[in-house]
Amino acid sequence: MGRLALLLLLAACAPLAAQPLLPYPGGFAEGGLVGGRFQVVLPGVPLFLDADEKALYATYPYELLRYDGLILESLPLPGVPTFLRARPGLAVGLGQAVYTERGLLPYPARDAALTEEGLFWVGEKGLHMGSALLEEGDFRQVVAWAGQVVALGREAYFHPQGPRVALPAPVEAAAATACGVAFLAGGRLFLLRETGIKLWAEGTRMAALGERVYLTPGPRVLDCREVVWP
């Protein structure tokens, strides 16, 4: 029996208990049981969970799982994941490198966004594209939104236009929505544009797809069109 098949069998036989609720773009997973846009039983609680338009991705130490609605595929990773981004392109942080479908890239990224232009990533010095430092700053998250790349930490920087926006607290998670960049900071959910920030809700974990934000505690599904801008 293959390793993935054995893990799935063990997960199916495990006793029911309180499991963490993880949001992803399109739904929620409770432990290894995924519902919503994708419905699949994973071999355990993943380190990270994300999805693009076609597939669900889950990471474990030294392993990346991909589920396209029909097949659950196991891919080896050369390390323990530190982050997972499925969109715009697949990027998995591994401490001193970033795994992509184009190959392993030697960048010590805290977070990354793989675009058609290249890999944008944030590290100790600031926002980079490939080996080039674009902007200095203490950034922790980076997302692609509305033709721009937005780096977020204690403040947000919009590349390439360049405005910097002060943030209410250090950013813990961020994702692009149809209305702006949603981010969590200090247990609160905010929506960010170049023109400012709106407090949206309380939350601890989040994911976004189009107009919708999937939020815990919950599960809650919010619509970014409900946020009123002046």
Side-chain angles (χ1 to χ4, degrees):
M1 180 182 293
R3 178 172 181 269
L4 178 57
L6 178 60
L7 289 172
L8 290 173
L9 178 61
L10 292 174
C13 297
L16 295 177
Q19 298 289 329
L21 189 65
L22 301 177
Y24 75 91
F28 297 87
E30 187 169 5
L33 182 61
V34 181
R37 188 159 64 102
F38 295 96
Q39 298 186 17
V40 64
V41 178
L42 299 175
V45 181
L47 296 175
F48 302 98
L49 189 65
D50 202 0
D52 60 16
E53 292 77 10
K54 297 180 180 179
L56 176 78
Y57 296 88
T59 59
Y60 299 86
Y62 303 98
E63 186 175 32
L64 171 68
L65 296 184
R66 181 183 185 275
Y67 178 67
D68 63 3
L70 297 173
I71 299 174
L72 184 62
E73 180 183 10
S74 175
L75 303 171
L77 292 174
V80 178
T82 56
F83 67 81
L84 166 65
R85 289 283 187 183
R87 295 173 297 160
L90 179 64
V92 182
L94 295 170
Q96 296 302 308
V98 179
Y99 170 89
T100 75
E101 292 179 322
R102 304 174 188 176
L104 195 65
L105 304 178
Y107 304 128
R110 296 170 173 171
D111 191 22
L114 181 60
T115 73
E116 292 184 358
E117 190 176 354
L119 183 76
F120 291 86
W121 59 278
V122 291
E124 290 186 1
K125 294 184 178 180
L127 173 66
H128 304 250
M129 188 186 75
S131 59
L133 177 62
L134 301 177
E135 185 74 13
E136 293 184 352
D138 183 13
F139 303 124
R140 298 284 171 170
Q141 297 278 293
V142 59
V143 299
W145 174 72
Q148 305 174 76
V149 172
V150 186
L152 306 97
R154 296 184 179 275
E155 60 181 345
Y157 168 70
F158 290 79
H159 173 81
Q161 282 84 349
R164 298 180 80 119
V165 179
L167 302 180
V171 169
E172 300 152 8
T177 77
C179 313
V181 177
F183 70 89
L184 288 173
R188 296 178 294 173
L189 175 67
F190 298 86
L191 193 61
L192 168 71
R193 295 179 179 177
E194 301 100 313
T195 53
I197 303 169
K198 285 285 187 177
L199 176 60
W200 193 353
E202 302 293 318
T204 56
R205 294 177 181 267
M206 55 86 69
L209 180 65
E211 295 87 6
R212 294 183 176 181
V213 168
Y214 300 82
L215 188 66
T216 64
R220 287 174 287 164
V221 182
L222 308 181
D223 191 321
C224 68
R225 293 170 296 185
E226 298 171 355
V227 179
V228 178
W229 296 87

